[in-house]
Amino acid sequence: MTPFPREGFRALRRYTPIEDPVEIELSDNTNLWGCHPDALAVMRDAASGDISNYPQAYSSDLRDAVADTFDVPAECVITGCGSDDVLDSTFRAVCDPGARVAFPNPTFLMIPHLLVVNSLQGVPLGDARRPPSPRQLLDAGADLIYVCTPNNPTGTALSRAWIEELLDGVGTTGPVVILDEAYYEFNVASPGYDPGDTSLVERALAVPRIMIARTFSKAYGLAGLRAGFGIAHPDLLGEVEKARGPFKVGLLAERAAAAALCDRSGWLEPTVREIVACRERLVAELRRRGGDPLPSSANFVMLPVPAPAVEVTREMIARGIAVRPFPNVPGVGEALRVTVGPPPVIERFIEAWVDICRPVAGNAGQEAVAAEAAG
Ligand SMILES: *Cc1c(COP(=O)(O)O)cnc(C)c1O
């Protein structure tokens, strides 16, 4: 008989969001500009009969909305209770217990968690400043490869060439690849993004090996809804949908997410553009004052700190600001992950950071200022 709790499970911790009441919440990468107004309108107009019924088993309306938006057949779309659900369902559909899952290190904290829950073996490769090559991931002997771009928690986006090389290596018989694009919208709006970098959807649909995962929790500002989706070849998607099971997206969440996706009000693009502009200001200001944030293509920044990240976070929370600590990040050391907020929020954060970490604007800072001035 399997001992209870099974091996490796007892040491697993519940995911612990920062729950201290704080004035400024910068620990979850949510949208500090609010939620998509078209989604809000749907929820305001809801009637009581809407909620006493079950939702559609596999969220056909949201599925159709995604299919329309991406111009793909509906059988290539899966929805989920957040994109976490799409990731988890893919792991469960593709991997037998004990299977190997390779991923660039560090990555999304839910991944190591889901690996333990599903009795899978993680193969972390590379570090925060040097992601592994596609070849290293392919040579890891993995049954599944998870890649997050832009990556959480580093903010780093992989180039189109890097991803193409990985998918070329996978071909039609290699390991299944999950491409987690939770921060896609911010990447597209970032300076330096190549407009020739069109979405990988077409490529993903060519072979039953690639799952693209997206969420409504970040750019759309709908983390509380719990809705996400995936796009894949029907042969892969059909299997993953069995693992997903029915009734995963609530009825109101489904309708609200579909409205946000249609974006009749045109809220999304200017909001994302503003977030990206604020991120650039935050990064420039940190550098000017002697900080060394990692380049980011998302709505957050990874900032190395000179003291244990957990202690710095405690000090931040004492000043009313929640950030997420990342102790001992390979290639970086102690670091915070900070969600981008509007200018007054950024100022409050910078003030607290200067107060706690006492950065010295030395050469690095001066060089950054010079580089900025040079354009
Ligand atoms: C936030 C996030 C998600 C989305 O999670 P939801 O379950 O959709 O809220 C997925 N992947 C990464 C890397 C994230 O940071």
Side-chain angles (χ1 to χ4, degrees):
M1 215 171 88
T2 310
F4 175 81
R6 64 184 198 266
E7 205 188 329
F9 204 82
R10 188 190 293 270
L12 190 65
R13 296 265 171 279
R14 280 199 338 172
Y15 180 80
T16 43
I18 289 166
E19 274 165 351
D20 307 61
V22 288
E23 224 181 306
I24 298 179
E25 171 50 68
L26 305 180
S27 74
D28 283 340
N29 302 342
T30 48
N31 192 327
L32 299 189
W33 277 254
C35 89
H36 200 297
D38 301 359
L40 199 57
V42 166
M43 292 187 276
R44 279 209 192 99
D45 293 344
S48 78
D50 292 339
I51 296 304
S52 52
N53 291 320
Y54 270 98
Q56 293 166 318
Y58 292 91
S59 332
S60 338
D61 289 351
L62 179 55
R63 204 175 181 178
D64 289 346
V66 174
D68 269 0
T69 305
F70 290 84
D71 198 18
V72 298
E75 77 252 30
C76 299
V77 179
I78 186 170
T79 61
C81 172
S83 64
D84 286 359
D85 190 23
V86 175
L87 305 179
D88 189 23
S89 302
T90 308
F91 284 140
R92 286 185 285 119
V94 171
C95 298
D96 272 332
R100 290 160 67 85
V101 176
F103 55 88
N105 196 32
T107 200
F108 187 29
L109 285 177
M110 277 305 287
I111 298 306
H113 185 90
L114 291 176
L115 294 182
V116 175
V117 169
N118 293 312
S119 301
L120 306 174
Q121 256 179 283
V123 186
L125 295 167
D127 68 41
R129 296 199 192 264
R130 282 167 312 147
S133 66
R135 187 35 58 201
Q136 285 173 299
L137 284 163
L138 291 162
D139 287 347
D143 303 277
L144 190 148
I145 296 173
Y146 170 86
V147 171
C148 181
T149 177
N151 187 36
N152 177 2
T154 57
T156 315
L158 295 160
S159 71
R160 173 70 176 223
W162 190 103
I163 298 169
E164 296 268 7
E165 196 184 326
L166 179 69
L167 301 187
D168 287 345
V170 166
T172 54
T173 54
V176 166
V177 174
I178 298 177
L179 282 178
D180 187 340
E181 297 188 326
Y183 302 96
Y184 175 82
E185 294 86 355
F186 305 106
N187 190 23
V188 176
S190 290
Y193 184 83
D194 179 355
D197 280 11
T198 47
S199 159
L200 286 153
V201 167
E202 208 172 300
R203 252 222 85 166
L205 294 191
V207 288
R209 281 282 175 282
I210 303 156
M211 174 66 76
I212 296 182
R214 297 273 185 96
T215 182
F216 290 99
S217 298
K218 308 292 159 55
Y220 288 92
L222 298 170
L225 277 190
R226 310 307 302 131
F229 61 93
I231 300 179
H233 187 287
D235 291 353
L236 172 59
L237 197 122
E239 297 305 313
V240 176
E241 204 152 61
K242 290 193 247 168
R244 174 219 195 244
F247 307 123
K248 294 307 270 300
V249 182
L251 191 147
L252 270 190
E254 175 181 4
R255 278 196 214 156
L261 194 64
C262 296
D263 193 30
R264 291 228 167 77
S265 63
W267 177 86
L268 186 71
E269 207 221 281
T271 308
V272 166
R273 237 189 295 121
E274 199 176 324
I275 294 171
V276 167
C278 287
R279 182 194 73 214
E280 297 295 286
R281 280 170 62 169
L282 170 62
V283 167
E285 187 61 13
L286 289 167
R287 293 210 173 119
R288 193 178 70 78
R289 294 184 178 243
D292 185 24
L294 274 69
S296 171
S297 299
N299 67 335
F300 59 85
V301 168
M302 173 163 264
L303 176 65
V305 287
V310 171
E311 275 170 38
V312 176
T313 299
R314 212 175 288 132
E315 295 271 334
M316 284 275 169
I317 290 173
R319 287 163 175 79
I321 304 170
V323 293
R324 185 156 291 267
F326 280 83
N328 206 6
V329 177
V332 167
E334 300 294 307
L336 307 179
R337 193 193 63 199
V338 185
T339 309
V340 173
V345 168
I346 293 179
E347 275 159 39
R348 278 282 305 274
F349 170 76
I350 297 261
E351 213 173 278
W353 167 66
V354 167
D355 194 31
I356 298 164
C357 296
R358 311 249 161 230
V360 182
N363 280 342
Q366 293 309 313
E367 275 163 30
V369 173
E372 217 182 298

